[in-house]
């Protein structure tokens, strides 16, 4: 080596190592940066755009390093939402009123950590207007946008190496602002209505087809001939114009689907894009008849092929010419596990002939015998636009379900079809077409038209609903020249998902710039050839037989090629080349878009706020929504609100004003004196999506003046209480300050109410039923617990009641009753003297019934019949008057130390005379102690007819489910308006009850429900009525109900303390019902007119609200330890196996045999069933499923769990009861006869163990099938486990490999399981197609009647139809 050369090599080697070291240093530096960034705390920012009502529900999420400057946060937010930075503010939203906080500085260099952002927590921000102005949108210039600066979205393509899932095809979320800006590609997307992605893909493909778009533009719509709403070509024309000229990112397709005759429900139906293509083309052909475009679809998309059969002995060939619009290509041949590798390979397989030999021989007309033949297809003509459908959806006969084949099938960008064309002349010797050529098999293509020899004019094509159709369609016959047949790919419609559902989008090449684009609903983006290759399907590696299972679910489904022919290849029409009607349409759509833009601008500057107004005449609070432009003044807004509330004829405009109002707290926040000319935008704090306050249109009388409401004041509603009259007046409103003392507040109320401040007592109701006496004069209102809106009761009288402790005072008791009294409407039953007489006679025969006789005499007339409610009221008036006079005398003595037993507020009030006796006793409560006799005297098990009938009408909902530990039935607790009591009080619905000091020393009467009983006893252990120990306010008056309530029915309007127990409430109703409380039932009526029985007697009425309706029905009420049971008959071989019989009463400790003895007379009288005790059994009922057989010696609550509204099956036996022990197992078996395609009736088997061998032996014994040929399977679903005879042979899990019944997959551990069995040597009946269809109809009808789904078709799709008259007729819609 020359020394000089050696010297030259050294520095080069040194440079190499230095470069390598520099690269390592840079990599190390970057790794350190990444490591530091990973260790740095991050701040999660969640931004809500409150500038527009359309964006208020959207959230923008940013996860930034804590060192990020605030100005960078603003930049990131601006890029995310599409606003210009500096035209919006960001304010804290962590539960803080944004109006009270200063916005962040968008120029600040402070880090997020220094700006009080909390790392590791959610930091909520509100994006608001800046200085009352809406944020400005970013203007995107597509010509200056670099593609690399934008993320490409090509739809649901999974990442390399990832397994696709259902989330792959969930469309991306987008902000409202982004939909207003056109994509950087210059193309416009289509909004997905719900599941219309398949429609969007096809529409974008047609739009990007120059020949179709140009031809559509040349068609002119005649408005005089057709409604534009129902014209499909016109709506497509409008859509294409918008796609070409709109400035939006995406436009709606609702007008197009409306022209199809679709309603909103169709948007939720996903269909096959190839099916839509064919149906839409058929619809367009029908619409374009007798126009220049009549043959457009055929000219562009229609090809021809020959379906032939050639005899291999004589060479005779039978054939016919078919036309096609698309070529269906099989992905994987039937029975093969290997898919075709490419489209070319699938095309070769499509035209590959098959040999008909053996049993499939062809009958040759020339040979006059069956001969071997060759059958196949030949392409005669390819269309200008070639559509290939890749048949990825198949049916798996092993699982009997639809599947999707995700195997890889490549397709070229340029496809040479010359190798597939038939070079034979189309004009073959004229021979008769072979009707048995098998052209209807699965491999044939979709044939829309036939040659002239075999054409038929179908008035109704598949998927098209026509009123009428006539005329024969002409078919073009282009020559069969074999010139250049090179096609170029320009559209790939991709499906992502499974056979059950998925997502469609389209990859389309623009003929303008030869660039590929992804049209994925509203998203349009540029893509590359690599992205197209990803749609070939398959997996990255070889997985053998299971390759399809692990393949990506995103792959090509339809391919559209265009013939490369310079003489025919068209370009899109330029604007100056548009026909005149299209120019007019473009101008019209632009004007509409501009108008919409202006409307959006107005919308962005409109304040929308709730408006309330108390009608000055009707005194009803009205509600509306005030929409006022932010530049409108307060004066103009008042005029708008005045007209909106229809007050023109009621009150002058100058007697109205708008004030700031808090509807939730019923609080007037402030008034706007002197701000009549202030813009509403400033008064309301800008245009917001939601406001934290409302507006009230306040009114006044002409002689009054408006009160000034200042911020910081609190509103107080003052109720004046009159202790002597025992009334609470309607409220008056005063305003006070929280820093005022109680003494100053009394002076303020004294001016408003004209009461003496010195003797005034003020009681604050801080929350429902929480009363507080303001007794410290120097305390401030804030310290006493006043808030924005408050309610107080005031009383000023010179009585000794001032000296009593507050909770023992007359005032407290009056307010307590006022808060807890509710109004109920009680529907009494029609009088039933016969049933009552029977019970009375039984009691006389049974023992001492003097008390009962007294009670009976009390409600009987001279003839011994029951009196009406009015008669009861009149008869009791004299007794009540004398009792009332005695009470008045006691009250005049002023003795406030009366015992609780004689307190006015705890005695029971009897009914008042309808003729006005209530006024004669000064509205005092009329008291009466209802004495009840010993319930043990009533042991008759007879039940009146009304009892039985009413029980049948009662819902079977379990009372235990409806009741809670606090209420007897708590399905509803609706708020209601105030109602005036008979003594002048206002009754409020208060949902909470409390135990007060006034009840101290008394026995608690609101005990919890007894756990060991289906209901609660009305009597304690000593037999005394619990109701006698409790005295709550009760007052009942006759009430004239609305018309239609029924003749003979009487209503009561009852005012009652809701803390009363149900037992005491029933005792108070005894004089009105006419029977003892143990002989009638209480049903609560809900808004849906459903009735549920209230049975827990020791629970209060606290869940009842004002104006609740109650129905009283005669019938024995349940006692302690009793349960109401619904008895249904089990009919195993009937179409409806469950039949309701009657309601019965079972008691704790009763044996099954005793309950059967009691059922026998009831079954005979009510159901006409004459049964002996050993000829029927009772068994468990779980919905419709029969369960455990109850043996005669079983005891309820010990051996059998029982609950309220329990249900049991009664099963009539054919012979002697075989079930003797709980170790036995009763199974229902049914034989399947495949050779006859039918099922035998059920037969019961009683097994001594859970052995499978014993089951087989029993089945062999009853059927005669050899033991080794027995096969069985467990039924599925609810009893009777119905299944179609078309499915039973393959759908059930026959002959499970188990030795016992209590293991998987049988799990038979209880009586009532269903077993199907068969003879494995018996062959299945061979059915013709006609027999199968007929049987399918019968099975469908049978299973629908029994409420079971037909399982032979696991997925029933709604047919895709386009209605040419704009809407489906009723018959079609029902189809």
């Amino acid at each position: 080596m020359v020394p000089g050369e050696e010297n030259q090599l050294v520095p080069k080697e040194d440079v190499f190592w230095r470069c390598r070291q520099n690269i390592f240093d840079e990599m190390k530096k970057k790794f350190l940066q990444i490591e530091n960034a990973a260790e740095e705390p991050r701040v999660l920012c969640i931004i809500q755009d409150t500038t527009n009502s359309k964006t208020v529900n959207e959230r923008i999420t940013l996860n930034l390093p804590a060192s990020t400057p605030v100005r960078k946060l603003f930049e990131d937010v601006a890029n995310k939402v599409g606003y210009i930075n500096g035209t919006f503010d960001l304010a804290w939203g962590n539960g803080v009123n944004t109006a009270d906080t200063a916005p962040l500085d968008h120029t600040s260099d402070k880090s997020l950590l220094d700006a009080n952002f909390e790392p590791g927590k959610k930091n909520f921000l509100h994006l608001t207007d800046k200085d009352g102005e809406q944020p400005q949108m970013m203007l995107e210039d597509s010509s200056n946008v670099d593609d690399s600066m934008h993320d490409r979205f090509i739809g649901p393509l999974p990442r390399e190496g990832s397994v696709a899932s259902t989330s792959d095809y969930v469309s991306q979320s987008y902000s409202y602002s982004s939909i207003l800006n056109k994509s950087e590609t210059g193309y416009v997307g289509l909004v997905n209505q719900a599941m219309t992605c398949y429609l969007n893909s096809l529409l974008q493909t047609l739009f990007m087809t120059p020949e179709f778009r140009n031809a559509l533009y040349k068609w002119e719509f005649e408005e005089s001939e057709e409604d534009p709403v129902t014209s499909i070509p016109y709506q497509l024309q409008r859509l294409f114009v918008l796609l070409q000229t709109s400035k939006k990112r995406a436009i709606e397709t609702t007008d197009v689907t409306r022209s199809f005759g679709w309603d909103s429900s169709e948007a939720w139906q996903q269909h096959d894009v190839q099916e839509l293509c064919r149906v839409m083309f058929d619809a367009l052909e029908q619409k374009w008849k007798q126009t220049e475009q009549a043959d457009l679809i055929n000219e562009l998309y229609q090809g021809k092929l020959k379906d032939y059969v050639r005899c291999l002995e004589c060479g005779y060939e039978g054939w016919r010419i078919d036309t096609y619009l698309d070529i269906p290509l099989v992905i994987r041949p039937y029975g093969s596990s290997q898919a075709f590798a490419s489209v070319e390979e699938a095309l070769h397989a499509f035209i590959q002939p098959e040999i008909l030999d053996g049993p499939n021989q062809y009958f040759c007309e020339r040979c006059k015998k069956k001969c071997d033949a060759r059958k196949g297809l030949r392409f005669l003509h390819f269309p200008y636009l070639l559509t290939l459908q890749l048949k990825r959806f198949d049916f798996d006969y092993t699982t009997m379900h639809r599947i999707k084949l995700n195997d890889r099938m490549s397709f070229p960008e340029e496809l040479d079809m010359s190798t597939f064309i038939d070079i034979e002349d189309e004009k073959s010797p004229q021979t008769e077409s072979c009707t048995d050529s098998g052209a209807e098999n699965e491999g044939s293509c979709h044939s829309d038209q036939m040659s002239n020899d075999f054409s038929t004019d179908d008035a109704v094509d598949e998927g098209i609903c026509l009123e009428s159709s006539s005329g024969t369609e002409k078919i073009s016959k282009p020559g069969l020249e074999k010139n250049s047949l090179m096609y170029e790919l320009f559209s790939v419609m991709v499906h992502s998902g499974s056979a059950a559902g998925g997502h469609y989008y389209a990859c389309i090449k623009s003929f303008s710039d030869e660039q590929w684009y992804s049209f994925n609903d509203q998203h349009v983006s540029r893509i590359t050839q690599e992205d197209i290759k990803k749609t070939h399907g398959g997996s990255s590696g070889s997985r053998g037989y299971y390759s399809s299972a692990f393949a990506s679910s995103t792959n090509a489904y339809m391919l559209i090629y265009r013939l490369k022919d310079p003489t025919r290849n068209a370009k899109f029409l330029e604007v100056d080349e548009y026909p005149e009607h299209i120019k007019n349409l473009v101008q019209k759509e632009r004007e509409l878009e501009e108008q919409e833009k202006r409307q959006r601008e107005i919308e962005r500057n409109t304040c929308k706020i709730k408006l309330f107004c108390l009608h000055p005449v009707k005194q009803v609070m009205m509600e509306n929504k005030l929409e006022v432009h932010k530049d409108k003044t307060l004066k103009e807004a008042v005029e708008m609100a005045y007209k909106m509330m229809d007050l023109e004829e009621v009150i002058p405009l100058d007697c109205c004003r708008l004030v700031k109002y808090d509807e939730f707290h019923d609080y007037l926040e402030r008034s706007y004196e002197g701000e009549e000319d202030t813009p509403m935008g400033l008064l309301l704090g800008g245009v917001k999506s939601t406001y934290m306050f409302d507006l009230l249109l306040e009114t006044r009388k002409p002689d009054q003046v408006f009160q000034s409401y200042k911020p910081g004041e609190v509103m107080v509603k003052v109720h004046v209480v009159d202790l002597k009259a025992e009334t609470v007046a309607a409220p008056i409103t005063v305003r006070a300050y929280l820093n005022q003392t109680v003494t100053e507040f009394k002076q303020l109320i004294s001016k408003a109410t004209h009461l003496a401040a010195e003797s005034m007592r003020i009681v604050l109701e801080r929350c429902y039923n929480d009363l507080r006496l303001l007794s410290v004069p120097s305390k401030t209102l804030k310290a006493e617990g006043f808030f924005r809106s408050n309610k107080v009761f005031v009383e000023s009288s010179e009585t000794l009641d001032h000296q009593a402790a507050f909770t023992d005072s007359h005032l407290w008791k009056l307010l307590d009753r006022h808060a807890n009294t509710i109004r109920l409407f009680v529907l009494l039953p029609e009088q039933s003297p016969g049933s009552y007489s029977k019970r009375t006679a039984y009691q006389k025969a049974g023992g001492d019934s003097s008390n009962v006789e007294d009670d009976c005499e009390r409600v009987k007339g001279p003839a011994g019949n029951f009196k009406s409610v009015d008669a009861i009221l009149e008869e009791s008036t004299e007794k009540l008057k004398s009792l009332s006079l005695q009470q008045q005398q006691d009250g005049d003595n002023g003795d406030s130390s009366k015992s609780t037993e004689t307190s006015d507020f705890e005695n029971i009030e009897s009914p008042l005379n309808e003729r006005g006796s209530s006024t004669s006793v000064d509205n005092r409560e009329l008291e009466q102690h209802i004495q009840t006799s010993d319930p043990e005297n009533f042991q008759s098990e007879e039940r009146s007819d009304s009892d039985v009938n009413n029980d049948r009408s009662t819902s079977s909902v379990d009372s235990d489910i409806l009741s809670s530990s606090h209420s007897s039935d708590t399905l509803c607790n609706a708020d209601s308006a105030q109602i005036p009591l008979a003594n002048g009080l206002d009754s409020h619905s208060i949902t909470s009850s409390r135990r007060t000091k006034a009840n101290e020393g008394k026995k608690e009467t609101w005990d919890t429900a007894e756990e060991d009983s289906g209901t609660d006893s009305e009597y304690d252990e000593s037999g005394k009525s619990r109701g006698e120990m409790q005295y709550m306010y009760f007052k009942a008056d006759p009430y004239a109900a609305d018309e239609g309530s029924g003749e003979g029915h009487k209503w009561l309007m009852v005012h009652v303390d809701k803390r009363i127990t149900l037992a005491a409430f029933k005792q108070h109703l005894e004089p009105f019902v006419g029977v003892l409380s143990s002989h009638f039932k209480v049903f609560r009526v809900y808004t849906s007119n459903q009735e549920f029985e209230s049975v827990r007697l020791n629970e209060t009425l606290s869940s009842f609200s004002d104006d609740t309706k109650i129905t009283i029905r005669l019938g024995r009420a349940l006692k302690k330890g009793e349960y109401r049971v619904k008895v249904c008959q089990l009919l195993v071989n009937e179409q409806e196996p469950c039949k309701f019989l009657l309601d019965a009463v079972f008691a704790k400790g009763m044996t099954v045999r005793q309950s059967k003895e009691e059922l026998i007379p009831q079954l005979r009288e009510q159901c006409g069933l004459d049964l002996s005790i050993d000829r029927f059994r009772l068994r468990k009922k779980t919905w419709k499923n029969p369960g455990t057989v109850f043996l005669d010696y079983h005891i309820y609550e010990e051996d059998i769990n029982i609950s309220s509204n329990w249900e049991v099956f009664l099963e009539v036996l054919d012979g002697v009861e075989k079930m003797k022990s709980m170790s036995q197992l009763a199974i229902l078996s049914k034989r399947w006869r495949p050779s006859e395609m039918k099922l035998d009736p059920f037969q019961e088997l009683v097994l001594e163990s859970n052995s499978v061998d014993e089951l087989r032996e029993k089945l062999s014994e009853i059927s005669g099938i050899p033991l080794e040929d027995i096969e069985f399977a467990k039924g599925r679903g609810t009893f009777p486990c119905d299944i179609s005879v078309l499915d039973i042979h393959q759908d059930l899990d026959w002959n499970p490999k188990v030795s016992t019944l209590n293991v998987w997959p049988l799990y038979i551990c209880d009586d009532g399981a269903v077993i199907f069995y068969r003879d494995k040597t018996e062959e299945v009946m061979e059915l013709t197609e006609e027999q199968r269809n007929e049987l399918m109809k019968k099975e469908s009808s049978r299973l629908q009647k029994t409420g079971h789904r037909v399982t032979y078709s696991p997925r029933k799709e709604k047919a895709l139809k386009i209605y040419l008259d704009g809407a489906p007729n009723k018959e079609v819609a029902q189809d």
Side-chain angles (χ1 to χ4, degrees), residues 1063-1082:
F1065 179 66
K1066 289 181 67 177
Q1067 288 182 5
H1068 298 339
L1069 290 175
E1070 283 180 352
F1072 308 99
V1073 181
V1075 297
L1076 296 179
S1077 61
S1078 59
H1079 285 74
F1080 67 84
K1081 296 174 286 186
V1082 175

Side-chain angles (χ1 to χ4, degrees), residues 11 238 435 441 491 531 612 739 912 1015 1027 1335 1342 1356:
R238 283 189 62 236
T435 58
N441 66 28
S491 177
D531 297 316
F612 294 89
N739 57 2
L912 296 180
T1015 182
L1335 188 57
R1342 178 179 70 86
K1356 187 173 177 64

